[in-house]
Amino acid sequence: MKLTRAPYASRDSPLDVSFSDLGSTTGTPLVVFLGLGCVRHIMGLYDEMAECLGIRLITIDRWGLGRTGPPRSKLAKGIPDWAYVVEEILDRLHIDQCSVMAHSAGAPYALAFANRFPERIRGNICLLAPWVGGGEGAGYKWLKPNANYDQPHDIQR
């Protein structure tokens, strides 16, 4: 999928993002944030089970993994900015709310998405062997509720 929203892309310079959309097409959407170095292909192991359970599994390959390219702006390549990539994909898939599950190094990305877009989260966030603590003292500013992001660019939605 070619994404075009700022700050990670533009209409003239889209960001190619690879993702999987498996399980039940009419099921409850579950966005899975994979651990370090993992790509969407691993989720194929859960396709049939997700179908039986009525779950729609969506897994997005992060910057530089799978067929996802690097962000077009050096300013927009971190964990907080990934939340906007997830938002655009969910918008394109016509998904207003989703459940969230993260494994290992996917935890900071999942928590950044949930912090940035709490209205899009359905239920509790499931963290499997999280790489970081979820508390405010974890040391990551994007995990703190109502964090003030010092971003040098305007976000256009």
Side-chain angles (χ1 to χ4, degrees):
M1 180 179 288
K2 292 189 181 296
L3 304 184
T4 57
R5 292 186 189 163
Y8 50 82
S10 68
R11 293 207 185 274
D12 295 332
S13 184
L15 174 66
D16 288 316
V17 175
S18 53
F19 70 98
S20 62
D21 188 355
L22 305 171
S24 173
T25 57
T26 59
T28 302
L30 171 62
V31 177
V32 180
F33 293 80
L34 294 173
L36 189 64
C38 292
V39 293
R40 69 196 181 285
H41 300 299
I42 195 167
M43 297 311 291
L45 298 170
Y46 305 103
D47 185 26
E48 190 174 323
M49 179 177 65
E51 175 75 36
C52 291
L53 294 172
I55 298 172
R56 181 178 181 183
L57 286 175
I58 299 155
T59 308
I60 308 164
D61 292 337
R62 288 194 304 269
W63 315 116
L65 296 175
R67 293 182 183 231
T68 297
R72 300 300 179 239
S73 166
K74 290 183 180 181
L75 297 174
K77 64 179 179 179
I79 292 171
D81 292 310
W82 187 251
Y84 295 104
V85 172
V86 176
E87 177 199 33
E88 184 172 354
I89 288 177
L90 292 178
D91 288 348
R92 295 270 197 96
L93 296 175
H94 307 289
I95 296 171
D96 294 325
Q97 286 192 318
C98 63
S99 296
V100 170
M101 180 173 70
H103 173 253
S104 190
Y109 292 88
L111 293 173
F113 173 71
N115 188 50
R116 184 71 63 146
F117 300 107
E119 71 281 1
R120 297 197 85 152
I121 305 301
R122 180 178 177 175
N124 294 323
I125 298 169
C126 179
L127 302 178
L128 307 168
W131 219 25
V132 297
E136 287 189 49
Y140 295 97
K141 69 179 180 179
W142 57 85
L143 301 180
K144 296 177 183 175
N146 302 315
N148 182 9
Y149 300 99
D150 298 320
Q151 296 186 13
H153 49 272
D154 292 328
I155 305 302
Q156 300 172 5
R157 289 202 227 146

